[in-house]
Amino acid sequence: MTACWTETDLGWLREFMAVDSVSPLEGGRLAATRQAQEVFRAGAAERGFDIRHYASPSAQSLAAADIPMPVRRALEADPDTFLDAQPSLVVAMGDPAPPQRRLVINFHVDTVGPHVEPRLDGDILHGRGAVDDKGPGVAAAVGVAAAFAADPSLARRIEVILTSVPGEEGGAMGVLGTRWLVELGYTGRLMLFAEPTGGRVMDACTAAMTPRFRVLGEGSTDDHPTDAHNATVALGFLADHLVRAVGPRAAALGAKLCIAGLHTGTAHNRVYGEGELLLNIAYRDQTSAQTLVHELQRAVEEAREVFAKAHLGNPFTARLVDDWDRVVRLDWLKRGLPVLDNRDPEMEDLLAAAGFPRHDGLADGSAFTCDAIWAGGPGRYVAVCGPGRLDENGAHTAAEWVRVGDLATYARQIRDLVVRFGAHVPTQ
């Protein structure tokens, strides 16, 4: 069969990675997403892919109540400019076919910050996007192109689509790209999300909700500390209270509770009256999510009384105790998102034959949240599978890397999967 990975492919990936496409929701440049898409589009066109769709969602398509807060903020600031800079790119090989004869491979072009320039050290490619998610996306495209080069008759039997999407990082949760494309009908019998799983198939994904606690009170100088609503004390207390009150219940439900950022200020001679505390709760099913929302709200209701008792007679927190209900707020940056949990023995066998064995990520806690949560539906098998692993390969850290050999292996396995898919699906 045609070779799957060449120095030219590696050069394409390095050019792709060199574009600083840090999510604008993490402070990246708006123009960078489209710049990265242009690099991927040019490389895909050179390998024979057709451009099927290249556009941004409309503001009307992002009017649902479950749109995460970071996206809502960006839309409120300047919807037209923001959305125009977040296009999704759909490229394909094969004649247009109905969903039952279609394989869809998804990856995301946006990255976390900060940007890390690509650097090759022997077989190790360092840099932002190496494993999450530009490396897997390019390797998948190379594999698909190799399959159609090896067997041109595939073009009459199946259609293979690659979707390069923005909005996976930065708390966007896939609503800017993947969900929109699924709603437009870019679905298939098999939908593969090229995320780093160690080459194993995971067909269940958690979803996450993010409660935010804010103190919106009055601050003071260190000369008059009793005059303030001390946000640092309130939020520090809430972090401790919530992890003790909700943490054990979350663990029992197989959820992951993360007490994340707490910010009030940095000066030593001020009492800060405003600040915020973020939590992130990854859940595996909707029943667990509803239970945890209830547990969190109950813990919040108890917090005022617990705090008041602990600070009885303390003049430095007296104003906070008196005004707790007025200045302490709970809202949600994201909530109500779906999970993925599907099985399909037919497609599982097909993937295993191509070298992608199934792994139960829910059983050992390795399942994670990604755009695949939007793809489930009748007649589809949705699987997450890609080279490298999020933790071992330093995704979301300054030390992100991937073995070039792992990318070449993934490209070969994708080639084999496409060939097997073409032989398996009905021609009518």
Side-chain angles (χ1 to χ4, degrees):
M1 281 192 174
T2 305
C4 274
W5 188 266
T6 67
E7 287 297 316
T8 300
D9 300 321
L10 178 59
W12 177 30
L13 173 56
R14 295 182 69 176
E15 180 186 3
F16 194 25
M17 288 172 57
V19 179
D20 178 1
S21 55
V22 170
S23 167
L25 302 179
E26 293 202 359
R29 296 179 299 113
L30 271 179
T33 303
R34 187 176 292 276
Q35 290 170 0
Q37 294 286 39
E38 289 294 338
V39 173
F40 185 76
R41 181 171 75 158
E46 289 175 2
R47 287 157 180 80
F49 285 90
D50 295 326
I51 310 302
R52 295 284 166 84
H53 185 78
Y54 190 26
S56 299
S58 65
Q60 289 77 15
S61 69
L62 294 166
D66 60 358
I67 298 298
M69 180 70 77
V71 177
R72 278 184 273 155
R73 286 176 179 161
L75 292 173
E76 289 167 0
D78 189 345
D80 293 336
T81 301
F82 175 72
L83 290 176
D84 182 66
Q86 301 302 301
S88 290
L89 172 63
V90 179
V91 301
M93 283 193 171
D95 299 334
Q100 63 267 27
R101 291 196 283 117
R102 187 186 295 155
L103 166 62
V104 178
I105 302 174
N106 173 291
F107 79 99
H108 59 91
V109 70
D110 61 322
T111 69
V112 300
H115 180 65
V116 180
E117 286 291 331
R119 174 175 60 86
L120 188 64
D121 183 8
D123 187 51
I124 305 298
L125 178 61
H126 303 267
R128 186 62 72 219
V131 77
D132 184 24
D133 194 28
K134 293 177 180 178
V138 165
V142 169
V144 172
F148 279 83
D151 183 1
S153 71
L154 285 170
R156 299 189 300 274
R157 290 183 276 127
I158 61 171
E159 179 184 20
V160 180
I161 288 175
L162 268 71
T163 58
S164 175
V165 300
E168 202 272 349
E169 306 288 8
M173 298 299 294
V175 300
L176 292 170
T178 297
R179 182 165 78 167
W180 178 55
L181 293 180
V182 168
E183 291 172 349
L184 290 179
Y186 290 102
T187 61
R189 176 69 182 88
L190 176 59
M191 299 189 68
L192 194 68
F193 284 72
E195 295 273 354
T197 65
R200 305 175 299 177
V201 166
M202 289 198 236
D203 48 24
C205 289
T206 59
M209 52 187 169
T210 303
R212 175 177 64 172
F213 295 88
R214 290 186 293 168
V215 176
L216 301 174
E218 296 179 11
S220 70
T221 67
D222 59 339
D223 293 324
H224 303 282
T226 60
D227 292 348
H229 300 101
N230 197 315
T232 307
V233 172
L235 296 174
F237 161 78
L238 281 170
D240 177 70
H241 176 72
L242 294 171
V243 77
R244 287 187 291 109
V246 184
R249 185 63 170 144
L253 293 170
K256 298 176 182 178
L257 173 67
C258 173
I259 305 293
L262 189 164
H263 179 74
T264 54
T266 59
H268 72 282
N269 59 351
R270 287 201 59 80
V271 178
Y272 291 95
E274 296 187 354
E276 71 174 35
L277 165 69
L278 297 177
L279 277 66
N280 202 62
I281 306 173
Y283 53 90
R284 54 195 295 174
D285 58 72
Q286 295 299 336
T287 300
S288 296
Q290 292 170 5
T291 298
L292 289 169
V293 168
H294 174 75
E295 294 285 341
L296 184 71
Q297 291 172 336
R298 182 176 61 82
V300 171
E301 291 169 2
E302 295 172 349
R304 183 191 185 283
E305 183 178 352
V306 173
F307 185 84
K309 287 181 178 179
H311 289 264
L312 184 65
N314 185 347
F316 297 103
T317 52
R319 193 175 182 201
L320 183 58
V321 169
D322 291 342
D323 296 340
W324 182 277
D325 290 338
R326 180 171 65 83
V327 300
V328 178
R329 312 280 180 83
L330 164 64
D331 60 9
W332 297 83
L333 301 191
K334 58 179 179 284
R335 182 179 173 186
L337 302 181
V339 299
L340 173 71
D341 191 0
N342 67 161
R343 294 295 304 272
D344 188 322
E346 185 179 21
M347 290 294 104
E348 291 169 33
D349 289 345
L350 193 70
L351 285 158
F356 298 131
R358 181 180 180 273
H359 175 73
D360 187 348
L362 291 179
D364 67 0
S366 59
F368 53 84
T369 304
C370 72
D371 283 10
I373 60 175
W374 301 112
R380 309 170 200 161
Y381 180 56
V382 182
V384 184
C385 182
R389 299 193 182 184
L390 288 171
D391 50 357
E392 294 178 9
N393 289 76
H396 292 205
T397 76
E400 184 176 351
W401 62 278
V402 73
R403 288 187 177 86
V404 176
D406 288 345
L407 295 177
T409 297
Y410 187 65
R412 175 180 55 77
Q413 291 172 310
I414 290 293
R415 177 198 67 191
D416 295 347
L417 175 64
V418 170
V419 171
R420 291 176 185 277
F421 184 79
H424 176 81
V425 299
T427 56
Q428 299 296 328

